[in-house]
Amino acid sequence: MRAFAQIDLAAISENIVSISKRTESTILAVVKADAYGHGLVPVAITAVESGANWLGTALLEEAITLREAGIEVPVIAWLTPPGEDFERALRLNIDLSVSSISLFKEILVAGKQVGIKPRLHFEIDTGMRRGGVLNEWSEFLAFAQEEKSNYSLIGFWSHFARADEPLQPFNKVQEDEFASKLEELMATGLSPEIIHLSNSAATLSRASAHQSMVRLGIAMYGLSPDVDQMGDGTKFDLRPAMTIRAKIHLVKAAKAGDAVGYGGTEVLKRDTKLGVIVMGYSDGLPRTANNSVGVFFDGGFAPLVGRISMDQCVVDLGPDSQAEAGDYVTVMGGEGYSIDQWAKAAGTINYEIVTRIAARVPRIY
Ligand SMILES: *Cc1c(COP(=O)(O)O)cnc(C)c1O
């Protein structure tokens, strides 16, 4: 295998167990985007075994994959545009989220078609101005009331825009807005079974927002929601679950003054040995990463040299390296450069680094 992602399911399990000690609330494990690149079904099974009673996905097809794998805990898919196969969703007992009257209607029609009452979660926009009911709220409430015998109201929820900045006053603004909208809902006699507002950042830093369920994403994978604002995962006793390894394809000696890679962007300052690694941006390595990262091998750290190519990249192994073609190096995670270091080197966040690892990189458990 020329490259693979080693996924430590025990780390995911320990992360969930340790986070569940911080809250009384039910844990929903967020497994969207192929479980943040870690592998949807194996992670979902691990999460459920580790105490997560709920699973959450963005897309309907992700939730369907969970059901097809025989997973029976409650699953919510919260990002379903009009025109999805809602009848199938209902037959598979998948919870759906609504943030507009039109989608609400469409799902009710599907419910009548298959003779199943949809299990719905109302998403409220409390300040992020992304998903959730906003301007339609009064009409939405009236509609929800009129149709109340045609669906089960399972959840009432919203999402923080700035929970990764625990001291940011806007978090309180959103919490207050959430409470007031919930009150208006309850005043109509509608009463959700579950109230959920917190992502990982709020789960780790904002007990007032835990409500009856927290939606745990990045933290269960062992990564901090915001390294700059909250510190890295070790601050919360989290252990990253992903390690990426790849083979050296070729080792060669090159001279000081040689320019390496497309555009000749980097000129060697010394005679050294270069290692060509069989992994590139099509595998998910960020092309924008600078040479503050690279790979780890027996002899130590070898920084990137020049631009990352589509299928390969070049590292400086050092003039005395004993590394050979065919050896595995650690590209990120484990004893190598951390996912957080890669994110920083590429000017992005750890979320993007793990979710972009391509499907052609096999996940090994
Ligand atoms: C992705 C997502 C989460 C999880 O966020 P983390 O920051 O990874 O914990 C929670 N809720 C919703 C609606 C999401 O889309």
Coordinates of all heavy atoms in Angstrom, one line a residue, residues 102-186:
S102 N -41.7 25.6 3.2 CA -41.8 24.8 2.0 C -41.2 23.4 2.2 O -41.8 22.5 1.7 CB -41.2 25.6 0.8 OG -39.8 25.8 1.1
L103 N -40.1 23.3 2.8 CA -39.5 22.0 3.1 C -40.3 21.2 4.0 O -40.5 20.0 3.8 CB -38.0 22.1 3.6 CG -37.3 20.8 3.6 CD1 -36.9 20.4 2.2 CD2 -36.1 20.8 4.5
F104 N -40.8 21.8 5.0 CA -41.8 21.2 6.0 C -42.9 20.6 5.2 O -43.2 19.4 5.4 CB -42.3 22.3 6.9 CG -42.8 21.9 8.2 CD1 -42.9 22.8 9.3 CD2 -43.3 20.6 8.4 CE1 -43.5 22.5 10.5 CE2 -43.8 20.3 9.7 CZ -43.9 21.2 10.7
K105 N -43.5 21.3 4.3 CA -44.7 20.8 3.5 C -44.2 19.6 2.7 O -45.0 18.6 2.6 CB -45.2 21.9 2.5 CG -46.0 22.9 3.2 CD -46.6 23.9 2.1 CE -47.5 24.9 2.8 NZ -47.7 26.2 2.0
E106 N -43.1 19.7 2.0 CA -42.6 18.7 1.2 C -42.4 17.4 2.0 O -42.8 16.3 1.5 CB -41.3 19.1 0.5 CG -40.8 18.1 -0.6 CD -39.6 18.6 -1.3 OE1 -39.3 19.8 -1.4 OE2 -38.8 17.7 -1.8
I107 N -41.9 17.5 3.2 CA -41.7 16.3 4.0 C -43.0 15.7 4.5 O -43.2 14.5 4.5 CB -40.7 16.6 5.1 CG1 -39.3 16.9 4.5 CG2 -40.6 15.4 6.1 CD1 -38.3 17.4 5.6
L108 N -44.0 16.6 4.8 CA -45.3 16.1 5.2 C -46.0 15.3 4.1 O -46.7 14.3 4.3 CB -46.2 17.3 5.7 CG -45.7 18.0 7.0 CD1 -46.7 19.0 7.4 CD2 -45.6 17.0 8.1
V109 N -45.8 15.8 2.8 CA -46.4 15.1 1.7 C -45.8 13.7 1.6 O -46.5 12.7 1.4 CB -46.2 15.9 0.4 CG1 -46.5 15.1 -0.9 CG2 -47.0 17.2 0.4
A110 N -44.5 13.7 1.7 CA -43.8 12.4 1.7 C -44.3 11.4 2.8 O -44.5 10.2 2.6 CB -42.3 12.6 1.8
G111 N -44.5 12.0 3.9 CA -45.1 11.3 5.1 C -46.4 10.6 4.8 O -46.7 9.5 5.1
K112 N -47.3 11.4 4.1 CA -48.6 10.9 3.8 C -48.5 9.8 2.8 O -49.2 8.8 2.8 CB -49.5 12.1 3.2 CG -49.9 13.0 4.4 CD -51.1 13.8 4.1 CE -51.4 14.7 5.3 NZ -51.2 16.1 5.1
Q113 N -47.6 10.0 1.8 CA -47.4 9.0 0.8 C -47.0 7.7 1.3 O -47.5 6.7 0.8 CB -46.2 9.6 -0.1 CG -46.3 9.1 -1.6 CD -47.5 9.7 -2.3 OE1 -48.0 10.8 -2.0 NE2 -48.0 9.0 -3.3
V114 N -46.1 7.7 2.3 CA -45.7 6.4 2.8 C -46.4 6.0 4.1 O -46.2 4.9 4.6 CB -44.1 6.3 3.1 CG1 -43.4 6.5 1.8 CG2 -43.7 7.4 4.0
G115 N -47.3 6.8 4.6 CA -48.0 6.5 5.8 C -47.2 6.4 7.0 O -47.4 5.6 7.9
I116 N -46.2 7.3 7.1 CA -45.3 7.4 8.3 C -45.2 8.8 8.7 O -45.0 9.7 7.9 CB -43.9 6.9 7.9 CG1 -43.9 5.4 7.5 CG2 -42.9 7.1 9.1 CD1 -42.6 4.9 6.9
K117 N -45.4 9.0 10.0 CA -45.3 10.4 10.5 C -43.8 10.8 10.6 O -43.0 10.1 11.2 CB -45.8 10.4 12.0 CG -47.2 10.9 12.2 CD -47.4 11.2 13.7 CE -48.9 11.3 13.9 NZ -49.1 11.6 15.4
P118 N -43.4 11.9 9.9 CA -42.0 12.3 9.9 C -41.6 12.7 11.3 O -42.4 13.3 12.1 CB -42.0 13.5 9.0 CG -43.2 13.4 8.2 CD -44.2 12.7 9.0
R119 N -40.4 12.3 11.7 CA -39.8 12.8 13.0 C -39.0 14.0 12.6 O -38.0 13.9 11.9 CB -38.9 11.7 13.5 CG -39.7 10.4 14.0 CD -38.7 9.3 14.4 NE -37.5 9.7 15.1 CZ -37.4 9.6 16.4 NH1 -38.4 9.2 17.2 NH2 -36.3 10.0 17.0
L120 N -39.4 15.2 13.1 CA -38.8 16.4 12.7 C -38.1 17.2 13.8 O -38.4 17.1 15.0 CB -39.9 17.3 12.1 CG -40.6 16.8 10.9 CD1 -41.6 17.9 10.4 CD2 -39.6 16.5 9.8
H121 N -37.0 17.9 13.4 CA -36.3 18.8 14.3 C -36.5 20.2 13.6 O -36.2 20.4 12.4 CB -34.8 18.4 14.3 CG -34.6 17.1 14.9 ND1 -33.9 16.9 16.1 CD2 -34.9 15.8 14.5 CE1 -33.8 15.6 16.4 NE2 -34.4 14.9 15.4
F122 N -36.9 21.2 14.4 CA -37.0 22.6 13.9 C -35.6 23.3 14.1 O -35.2 23.4 15.3 CB -38.1 23.3 14.7 CG -39.5 22.8 14.4 CD1 -40.5 23.3 15.2 CD2 -39.8 21.9 13.4 CE1 -41.8 22.8 15.0 CE2 -41.1 21.5 13.2 CZ -42.1 21.9 14.0
E123 N -35.1 23.7 13.1 CA -33.8 24.5 13.2 C -34.1 26.0 13.2 O -34.8 26.5 12.3 CB -32.8 24.2 12.1 CG -31.5 25.0 12.3 CD -30.5 24.9 11.2 OE1 -30.8 24.2 10.2 OE2 -29.4 25.5 11.3
I124 N -33.6 26.7 14.2 CA -33.8 28.1 14.3 C -32.5 28.9 14.1 O -31.5 28.5 14.6 CB -34.3 28.4 15.8 CG1 -35.4 27.5 16.3 CG2 -34.7 29.9 16.0 CD1 -36.6 27.5 15.3
D125 N -32.6 29.9 13.3 CA -31.5 30.8 13.1 C -31.4 31.8 14.3 O -32.2 32.7 14.4 CB -31.6 31.6 11.8 CG -30.4 32.4 11.5 OD1 -29.6 32.6 12.5 OD2 -30.2 32.9 10.4
T126 N -30.4 31.6 15.2 CA -30.3 32.4 16.4 C -29.2 33.5 16.2 O -28.8 34.2 17.1 CB -30.0 31.6 17.6 OG1 -28.9 30.8 17.4 CG2 -31.2 30.7 18.0
G127 N -28.6 33.6 15.0 CA -27.6 34.6 14.8 C -26.6 34.3 13.8 O -25.8 35.1 13.3
M128 N -26.5 33.0 13.4 CA -25.4 32.7 12.4 C -25.7 33.1 11.0 O -24.8 33.3 10.2 CB -25.1 31.2 12.5 CG -23.9 30.7 11.6 SD -23.3 29.2 12.2 CE -22.1 28.9 10.9
R129 N -27.0 33.2 10.7 CA -27.5 33.5 9.4 C -27.0 32.5 8.3 O -26.5 32.9 7.2 CB -27.0 35.0 9.0 CG -27.6 36.0 9.9 CD -29.1 36.1 9.8 NE -29.7 37.1 10.8 CZ -30.1 36.9 12.0 NH1 -30.1 35.6 12.5 NH2 -30.5 37.8 12.8
R130 N -27.1 31.3 8.7 CA -26.8 30.2 7.8 C -28.1 29.4 7.7 O -29.1 29.8 7.2 CB -25.6 29.4 8.2 CG -25.0 28.5 7.1 CD -23.8 27.6 7.6 NE -24.2 26.7 8.7 CZ -23.3 25.9 9.2 NH1 -22.1 25.8 8.8 NH2 -23.7 25.1 10.2
G131 N -28.2 28.2 8.4 CA -29.4 27.4 8.4 C -30.4 28.0 9.4 O -30.0 28.9 10.2
G132 N -31.6 27.5 9.4 CA -32.6 27.8 10.4 C -33.6 28.8 10.0 O -33.4 29.6 9.1
V133 N -34.8 28.7 10.7 CA -35.9 29.6 10.4 C -35.5 31.0 10.9 O -35.0 31.2 12.0 CB -37.2 29.2 11.2 CG1 -38.3 30.1 10.8 CG2 -37.5 27.7 10.9
L134 N -35.8 32.0 10.1 CA -35.5 33.4 10.5 C -36.8 34.3 10.3 O -37.7 34.3 11.2 CB -34.3 34.0 9.8 CG -33.8 35.4 10.2 CD1 -33.4 35.3 11.6 CD2 -32.7 35.8 9.3
N135 N -36.9 34.9 9.1 CA -38.0 35.8 8.9 C -39.4 35.1 8.9 O -40.4 35.8 9.2 CB -37.8 36.5 7.6 CG -37.6 35.6 6.4 OD1 -36.7 34.8 6.5 ND2 -38.4 35.6 5.4
E136 N -39.4 33.8 8.6 CA -40.7 33.1 8.5 C -41.3 32.7 9.8 O -42.3 32.0 9.8 CB -40.4 31.8 7.7 CG -40.8 31.8 6.3 CD -40.7 30.4 5.6 OE1 -40.1 29.5 6.2 OE2 -41.3 30.3 4.5
W137 N -40.6 33.0 10.9 CA -40.9 32.3 12.2 C -42.3 32.3 12.6 O -42.9 31.2 12.9 CB -40.0 33.0 13.3 CG -40.2 32.4 14.6 CD1 -40.6 33.2 15.7 CD2 -40.1 31.1 15.1 NE1 -40.7 32.4 16.9 CE2 -40.4 31.1 16.5 CE3 -39.7 29.9 14.5 CZ2 -40.4 29.9 17.3 CZ3 -39.7 28.7 15.3 CH2 -40.0 28.8 16.7
S138 N -43.1 33.4 12.5 CA -44.5 33.4 13.0 C -45.3 32.5 12.1 O -46.1 31.7 12.6 CB -45.1 34.8 13.0 OG -44.2 35.7 13.2
E139 N -45.1 32.6 10.8 CA -45.9 31.7 9.9 C -45.5 30.3 10.1 O -46.3 29.4 10.1 CB -45.6 32.1 8.4 CG -46.0 33.5 8.0 CD -44.8 34.5 8.1 OE1 -44.1 34.5 9.2 OE2 -44.6 35.2 7.2
F140 N -44.2 30.0 10.3 CA -43.7 28.7 10.6 C -44.4 28.1 11.8 O -44.9 27.0 11.8 CB -42.2 28.7 10.8 CG -41.5 27.4 10.9 CD1 -41.0 26.8 9.8 CD2 -41.5 26.7 12.1 CE1 -40.4 25.5 9.9 CE2 -40.8 25.5 12.3 CZ -40.3 24.9 11.1
L141 N -44.5 28.9 12.9 CA -45.1 28.4 14.1 C -46.6 28.1 13.9 O -47.1 27.0 14.3 CB -45.1 29.5 15.2 CG -43.9 29.5 16.2 CD1 -44.2 30.6 17.2 CD2 -43.8 28.1 16.8
A142 N -47.3 29.0 13.1 CA -48.7 28.7 12.9 C -48.8 27.4 12.1 O -49.7 26.6 12.4 CB -49.3 29.9 12.1
F143 N -48.0 27.2 11.1 CA -48.0 26.0 10.2 C -47.8 24.8 11.1 O -48.5 23.8 11.0 CB -47.0 26.2 9.1 CG -47.1 25.0 8.1 CD1 -48.1 24.9 7.2 CD2 -46.1 24.0 8.2 CE1 -48.1 23.8 6.3 CE2 -46.2 22.9 7.3 CZ -47.2 22.8 6.4
A144 N -46.7 24.9 11.9 CA -46.4 23.8 12.8 C -47.5 23.3 13.6 O -47.8 22.2 13.9 CB -45.1 24.1 13.6
Q145 N -48.3 24.3 14.1 CA -49.4 24.1 15.0 C -50.6 23.4 14.2 O -51.1 22.4 14.6 CB -49.9 25.5 15.5 CG -51.1 25.4 16.3 CD -50.8 25.7 17.7 OE1 -49.8 26.2 18.0 NE2 -51.6 25.2 18.6
E146 N -50.9 24.0 13.0 CA -51.9 23.4 12.2 C -51.7 22.0 11.8 O -52.6 21.2 11.8 CB -52.0 24.2 10.8 CG -52.8 25.4 10.7 CD -52.4 26.2 9.5 OE1 -52.2 25.6 8.4 OE2 -52.3 27.4 9.7
E147 N -50.4 21.7 11.6 CA -50.1 20.3 11.0 C -49.7 19.4 12.1 O -49.2 18.3 11.8 CB -49.0 20.5 10.0 CG -49.4 21.3 8.8 CD -50.3 20.5 7.8 OE1 -50.3 19.2 7.9 OE2 -51.0 21.1 7.0
K148 N -49.9 19.7 13.4 CA -49.2 19.0 14.5 C -49.6 17.5 14.5 O -48.8 16.7 15.1 CB -49.4 19.6 15.8 CG -50.8 19.6 16.4 CD -50.8 20.3 17.7 CE -52.3 20.5 18.2 NZ -52.5 21.6 19.1
S149 N -50.7 17.1 14.0 CA -51.0 15.7 14.0 C -50.3 14.9 12.9 O -50.4 13.7 12.9 CB -52.5 15.5 13.9 OG -53.0 16.1 12.8
N150 N -49.6 15.6 12.0 CA -49.0 14.9 10.9 C -47.5 14.7 11.0 O -46.9 14.2 10.0 CB -49.3 15.7 9.6 CG -50.8 15.8 9.3 OD1 -51.5 14.8 9.5 ND2 -51.3 17.0 8.9
Y151 N -47.0 15.0 12.1 CA -45.5 14.8 12.3 C -45.3 14.6 13.8 O -46.1 15.0 14.6 CB -44.7 15.9 11.7 CG -44.9 17.2 12.5 CD1 -44.0 17.6 13.5 CD2 -45.9 18.1 12.2 CE1 -44.2 18.8 14.1 CE2 -46.1 19.3 12.9 CZ -45.2 19.6 13.9 OH -45.4 20.8 14.5
S152 N -44.1 14.1 14.2 CA -43.7 14.1 15.6 C -42.6 15.2 15.8 O -41.6 15.1 15.0 CB -43.1 12.7 16.0 OG -44.0 11.7 15.7
L153 N -42.8 16.0 16.7 CA -41.8 17.1 17.0 C -40.7 16.5 17.9 O -41.0 16.3 19.1 CB -42.4 18.3 17.6 CG -41.4 19.4 17.9 CD1 -40.5 19.8 16.7 CD2 -42.1 20.6 18.5
I154 N -39.6 16.1 17.3 CA -38.5 15.5 18.1 C -37.6 16.5 18.7 O -37.3 16.5 19.8 CB -37.7 14.5 17.2 CG1 -38.7 13.5 16.6 CG2 -36.7 13.8 18.1 CD1 -39.5 12.6 17.6
G155 N -37.1 17.4 17.8 CA -36.0 18.3 18.2 C -36.2 19.8 17.9 O -37.0 20.1 17.0
F156 N -35.6 20.6 18.7 CA -35.6 22.0 18.5 C -34.1 22.4 18.7 O -33.5 22.1 19.7 CB -36.4 22.7 19.6 CG -36.5 24.2 19.5 CD1 -37.5 24.7 18.6 CD2 -35.7 25.1 20.2 CE1 -37.6 26.1 18.5 CE2 -35.8 26.4 20.0 CZ -36.8 27.0 19.2
W157 N -33.6 23.1 17.6 CA -32.1 23.3 17.7 C -31.6 24.5 16.9 O -32.3 25.1 16.1 CB -31.4 22.0 17.1 CG -31.5 21.8 15.6 CD1 -32.6 21.3 14.9 CD2 -30.5 21.9 14.7 NE1 -32.3 21.2 13.6 CE2 -31.0 21.6 13.4 CE3 -29.1 22.3 14.7 CZ2 -30.3 21.6 12.2 CZ3 -28.4 22.4 13.6 CH2 -28.9 22.0 12.3
S158 N -30.4 24.8 17.2 CA -29.7 25.9 16.5 C -28.2 25.7 16.5 O -27.8 24.6 17.1 CB -30.1 27.3 17.2 OG -29.5 28.3 16.4
H159 N -27.5 26.6 16.0 CA -26.0 26.3 15.8 C -25.3 27.6 16.1 O -25.7 28.7 15.7 CB -25.7 25.9 14.4 CG -24.3 25.3 14.2 ND1 -23.9 24.2 14.9 CD2 -23.3 25.7 13.4 CE1 -22.6 23.9 14.5 NE2 -22.3 24.8 13.6
F160 N -24.2 27.5 16.9 CA -23.4 28.7 17.2 C -22.5 29.1 16.1 O -21.9 28.3 15.4 CB -22.5 28.4 18.4 CG -23.2 28.4 19.8 CD1 -23.3 27.3 20.6 CD2 -23.7 29.6 20.3 CE1 -23.9 27.3 21.8 CE2 -24.3 29.6 21.5 CZ -24.4 28.5 22.3
A161 N -22.3 30.4 15.9 CA -21.4 30.9 14.9 C -20.0 31.1 15.5 O -19.0 31.0 14.8 CB -21.8 32.3 14.4
R162 N -19.9 31.3 16.8 CA -18.6 31.7 17.4 C -18.3 31.0 18.7 O -17.6 31.5 19.6 CB -18.6 33.2 17.7 CG -18.9 34.0 16.4 CD -18.8 35.5 16.6 NE -17.3 35.9 16.7 CZ -16.9 37.2 16.7 NH1 -17.8 38.2 16.5 NH2 -15.6 37.4 16.8
A163 N -18.8 29.7 18.9 CA -18.6 29.0 20.1 C -17.1 28.7 20.4 O -16.7 28.5 21.5 CB -19.4 27.7 20.1
D164 N -16.3 28.7 19.3 CA -14.8 28.5 19.5 C -14.1 29.7 20.1 O -12.9 29.7 20.3 CB -14.2 28.0 18.2 CG -14.4 29.0 17.0 OD1 -15.3 29.9 17.2 OD2 -13.7 28.9 16.0
E165 N -14.9 30.8 20.3 CA -14.3 31.9 21.0 C -15.1 32.0 22.3 O -16.1 32.8 22.4 CB -14.5 33.2 20.2 CG -13.9 33.2 18.8 CD -14.4 34.3 18.0 OE1 -14.1 35.5 18.2 OE2 -15.3 34.0 17.1
P166 N -14.8 31.3 23.3 CA -15.6 31.1 24.5 C -16.0 32.5 25.2 O -17.0 32.6 25.8 CB -14.8 30.3 25.5 CG -13.9 29.5 24.6 CD -13.6 30.4 23.4
L167 N -15.1 33.5 25.0 CA -15.4 34.8 25.7 C -16.2 35.7 24.8 O -16.6 36.8 25.3 CB -14.1 35.4 26.1 CG -13.2 34.6 27.1 CD1 -11.9 35.3 27.4 CD2 -14.0 34.3 28.4
Q168 N -16.5 35.3 23.7 CA -17.2 36.2 22.7 C -18.7 36.4 23.2 O -19.4 35.4 23.3 CB -17.2 35.5 21.3 CG -18.1 36.1 20.3 CD -17.9 37.5 20.1 OE1 -18.9 38.3 20.2 NE2 -16.7 37.9 19.7
P169 N -19.1 37.7 23.4 CA -20.4 37.9 24.0 C -21.5 37.4 23.0 O -22.7 37.2 23.5 CB -20.5 39.4 24.1 CG -19.1 39.9 24.0 CD -18.3 38.9 23.3
F170 N -21.2 37.3 21.7 CA -22.3 36.8 20.8 C -22.9 35.5 21.2 O -24.0 35.2 20.8 CB -21.8 36.9 19.4 CG -22.9 36.8 18.3 CD1 -23.8 37.8 18.2 CD2 -22.9 35.7 17.4 CE1 -24.8 37.7 17.3 CE2 -23.9 35.7 16.5 CZ -24.9 36.7 16.4
N171 N -22.1 34.7 21.9 CA -22.6 33.3 22.3 C -23.8 33.5 23.2 O -24.8 32.7 23.0 CB -21.5 32.5 23.0 CG -20.4 32.2 22.0 OD1 -20.7 31.7 20.9 ND2 -19.1 32.4 22.4
K172 N -23.7 34.4 24.1 CA -24.9 34.7 25.0 C -26.1 35.2 24.2 O -27.2 34.8 24.5 CB -24.4 35.6 26.1 CG -25.5 36.1 27.0 CD -25.7 35.0 28.1 CE -26.5 35.5 29.3 NZ -27.9 35.9 29.0
V173 N -25.8 36.1 23.2 CA -26.9 36.6 22.4 C -27.6 35.4 21.7 O -28.9 35.4 21.7 CB -26.3 37.6 21.3 CG1 -27.4 38.0 20.3 CG2 -25.7 38.8 22.0
Q174 N -26.9 34.5 21.2 CA -27.5 33.4 20.5 C -28.3 32.5 21.5 O -29.4 32.0 21.2 CB -26.5 32.5 19.8 CG -26.0 33.2 18.5 CD -25.3 32.2 17.6 OE1 -24.1 32.1 17.5 NE2 -26.1 31.4 16.8
E175 N -27.7 32.3 22.7 CA -28.3 31.4 23.7 C -29.7 32.1 24.1 O -30.7 31.4 24.3 CB -27.5 31.3 25.0 CG -26.7 30.1 25.1 CD -25.9 30.0 26.4 OE1 -24.8 30.7 26.4 OE2 -26.3 29.4 27.3
D176 N -29.7 33.4 24.3 CA -30.9 34.1 24.7 C -32.0 34.0 23.6 O -33.1 33.8 23.9 CB -30.6 35.6 25.1 CG -29.8 35.7 26.3 OD1 -29.6 34.7 27.1 OD2 -29.2 36.8 26.6
E177 N -31.5 34.2 22.4 CA -32.4 34.1 21.3 C -33.1 32.7 21.2 O -34.3 32.6 21.0 CB -31.7 34.5 20.0 CG -32.5 34.4 18.7 CD -33.6 35.4 18.6 OE1 -33.6 36.4 19.4 OE2 -34.4 35.3 17.7
F178 N -32.2 31.7 21.4 CA -32.7 30.4 21.4 C -33.8 30.1 22.5 O -34.8 29.6 22.2 CB -31.5 29.4 21.7 CG -31.7 28.0 21.4 CD1 -32.0 27.5 20.2 CD2 -31.7 27.1 22.5 CE1 -32.2 26.1 20.0 CE2 -31.9 25.7 22.3 CZ -32.2 25.2 21.0
A179 N -33.5 30.6 23.7 CA -34.4 30.5 24.8 C -35.7 31.2 24.5 O -36.8 30.6 24.8 CB -33.8 31.0 26.1
S180 N -35.7 32.3 23.9 CA -36.9 33.1 23.7 C -37.7 32.4 22.5 O -38.9 32.3 22.6 CB -36.6 34.6 23.4 OG -36.5 34.9 22.1
K181 N -37.1 31.9 21.5 CA -37.8 31.2 20.5 C -38.4 29.9 21.0 O -39.5 29.5 20.6 CB -36.9 30.9 19.3 CG -36.5 32.1 18.4 CD -37.7 32.6 17.6 CE -37.4 33.7 16.6 NZ -37.1 34.9 17.2
L182 N -37.7 29.2 21.9 CA -38.2 28.0 22.5 C -39.4 28.3 23.3 O -40.4 27.6 23.2 CB -37.1 27.3 23.3 CG -37.5 26.0 24.0 CD1 -38.0 25.0 23.0 CD2 -36.3 25.5 24.9
E183 N -39.4 29.4 24.0 CA -40.6 29.8 24.8 C -41.8 30.1 23.9 O -42.9 29.6 24.2 CB -40.2 31.1 25.5 CG -40.8 31.2 26.9 CD -40.1 32.3 27.7 OE1 -39.0 32.2 28.3 OE2 -40.7 33.4 27.7
E184 N -41.5 30.7 22.8 CA -42.6 31.0 21.8 C -43.2 29.7 21.3 O -44.4 29.6 21.1 CB -42.2 31.9 20.7 CG -41.9 33.4 21.2 CD -41.2 34.2 20.1 OE1 -41.5 34.0 18.9 OE2 -40.5 35.1 20.4
L185 N -42.3 28.8 21.0 CA -42.8 27.5 20.5 C -43.7 26.8 21.6 O -44.8 26.3 21.3 CB -41.6 26.6 20.2 CG -42.0 25.2 19.7 CD1 -42.3 25.1 18.3 CD2 -40.8 24.2 20.0
M186 N -43.1 26.7 22.8 CA -43.9 26.0 23.9 C -45.2 26.7 24.1 O -46.2 26.0 24.5 CB -43.0 26.0 25.2 CG -41.6 25.5 25.0 SD -41.6 23.7 24.9 CE -41.3 23.3 26.6

